[in-house]
């Protein structure tokens, strides 16, 4: 049986994987080269996509909810610990998780939302997304994915349903919007090269290089990439 996952995280000598097919958490020991199935948190064993991401801090693992309502913590004395997330629980909630010091930024996938989770106090607050951030219907494209870059302490996240990048400033939790027009529709991946950002399309056939001086370069993908298909 092949187990698919969204993301994984390293804790000391172990890799933690969360299955996207069912309610399973796996630990792979790098030194022993063995896989251990952990006792899963409560819930339907066969429900798909419960957790969109996994983050680690101070020896503990945190499961970020996708088709589930709350965060799960593993690694303390009590085994699994459930941490409530405010707001309306919905399907396809968070796919991205960015760890900055002792905070995890939860990036909304199915809805235009970003939450900040304080690992030490369990406080969860919602960031105010600039009202100027106008996006079309999020639909299947999603709002924010799992890819990001951290440059000089600032988080840069591509918007998947619009040709924009969000700049999150952790010091103030303010959000700036960078417009990156192109012939593609939204961006799924981001890489910083010192001069600017390379952006892979969520839909479309153009790979975009956005330079910090405002110049935009487009590179057409090979013919097998279709403009109406989505790519991660």
């Amino acid at each position: 049986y092949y187990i698919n996952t969204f993301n994984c995280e390293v804790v000391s000598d172990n890799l933690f994987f969360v299955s996207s097919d069912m309610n399973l958490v796996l630990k792979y020991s790098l030194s022993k080269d063995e896989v251990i199935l952990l006792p899963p948190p409560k819930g339907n064993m066969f429900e798909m996509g419960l957790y969109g991401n996994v983050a680690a801090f101070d020896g503990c693992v945190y499961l970020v909810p996708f088709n589930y309502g709350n965060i799960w913590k593993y690694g303390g004395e009590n085994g699994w610990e459930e941490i409530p997330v405010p707001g309306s629980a919905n399907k396809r909630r968070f796919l991205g998780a960015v760890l900055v010091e002792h905070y995890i930024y939860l990036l909304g996938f199915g809805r235009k939302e970003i939450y900040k989770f304080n690992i030490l106090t369990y406080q969860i607050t919602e960031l105010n997304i600039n009202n100027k951030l106008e996006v079309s219907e999020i639909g299947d494209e999603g709002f924010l994915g799992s890819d990001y870059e951290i440059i000089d302490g600032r988080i840069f996240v591509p918007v998947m349903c619009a040709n924009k990048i969000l700049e999150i400033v952790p010091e103030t939790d303010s959000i700036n919007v960078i417009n990156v027009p192109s012939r593609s529709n939204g961006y799924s991946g981001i890489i910083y090269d010192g001069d600017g950002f390379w952006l892979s399309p969520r839909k479309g056939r153009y790979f975009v290089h956005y330079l910090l001086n405002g110049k935009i370069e487009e590179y057409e993908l090979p013919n097998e990439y279709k403009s109406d298909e989505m790519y991660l």
Side-chain angles (χ1 to χ4, degrees):
Y1 185 82
Y2 295 93
I3 297 177
N4 298 310
T5 65
F6 282 133
N7 292 286
C8 66
E9 185 62 276
V10 177
V11 181
S12 184
D13 180 57
N14 300 307
L15 272 169
F16 287 85
F17 296 87
V18 179
S19 170
S20 57
D21 296 323
M22 60 180 66
N23 188 11
L24 281 180
V25 182
L26 303 93
K27 180 174 72 172
Y28 170 64
S29 171
L30 295 169
S31 60
K32 297 179 181 179
D33 190 24
E34 66 177 9
V35 176
I36 298 172
L37 285 176
L38 299 178
K42 69 178 182 180
N44 184 346
M45 173 63 77
F46 299 103
E47 188 169 357
M48 297 182 64
L50 289 176
Y51 317 109
N53 215 315
V54 54
F57 179 82
D58 196 23
C60 293
V61 174
Y62 298 84
L63 307 185
V64 175
F66 189 59
N67 290 325
Y68 188 74
N70 298 321
I71 295 170
W72 282 107
K73 174 185 176 181
Y74 179 80
E77 297 179 354
N78 300 322
W80 289 105
E81 181 180 357
E82 190 171 11
I83 303 169
V85 177
S88 301
N90 69 303
K91 298 293 185 180
R92 310 187 317 150
R93 190 155 197 199
F94 304 113
L95 197 59
V98 185
L99 179 66
V100 178
E101 296 180 347
H102 59 276
Y103 298 98
I104 300 175
Y105 287 84
L106 309 175
L107 309 180
F109 180 87
R111 186 177 295 166
K112 192 174 74 172
E113 59 183 357
I114 300 175
Y115 281 81
K116 180 180 180 180
F117 169 48
N118 187 326
I119 297 173
L120 303 181
T121 65
Y122 289 9
Q123 181 182 13
I124 301 178
T125 56
E126 185 174 8
L127 272 62
N128 180 28
I129 298 179
N130 194 321
N131 291 329
K132 294 181 181 179
L133 176 57
E134 297 180 0
V135 298
S136 58
E137 185 178 350
I138 292 174
D140 291 335
E141 287 88 349
F143 177 51
L144 302 176
S146 59
D147 207 7
Y148 63 90
E149 281 277 22
I150 298 179
I151 311 298
D152 296 329
R154 295 168 295 160
I155 306 167
F156 293 87
V157 187
V159 178
M160 296 201 295
C161 59
N163 288 0
K164 303 176 188 294
I165 301 173
L166 293 189
E167 177 191 6
I168 305 171
V169 184
E171 291 182 356
T172 59
D173 285 338
S174 59
I175 297 176
N176 301 316
V177 181
I178 303 172
N179 293 309
V180 187
S182 77
R183 283 173 284 181
S184 286
N185 182 14
Y187 304 113
S188 62
I190 185 169
I191 290 289
Y192 180 67
D193 67 357
D195 296 321
F197 296 100
W198 290 90
L199 299 161
S200 60
R202 177 62 166 151
K203 293 182 73 173
R205 300 189 61 248
Y206 293 90
F207 193 37
V208 175
H209 191 201
Y210 172 79
L211 291 101
L212 299 183
N213 61 12
K215 183 180 178 181
I216 297 174
E217 301 170 344
E218 293 181 89
Y219 299 88
E220 190 170 7
L221 295 174
N223 290 332
E224 57 264 30
Y225 291 88
K226 307 301 181 184
S227 61
D228 59 345
E229 294 182 2
M230 292 185 289
Y231 306 101
L232 283 174

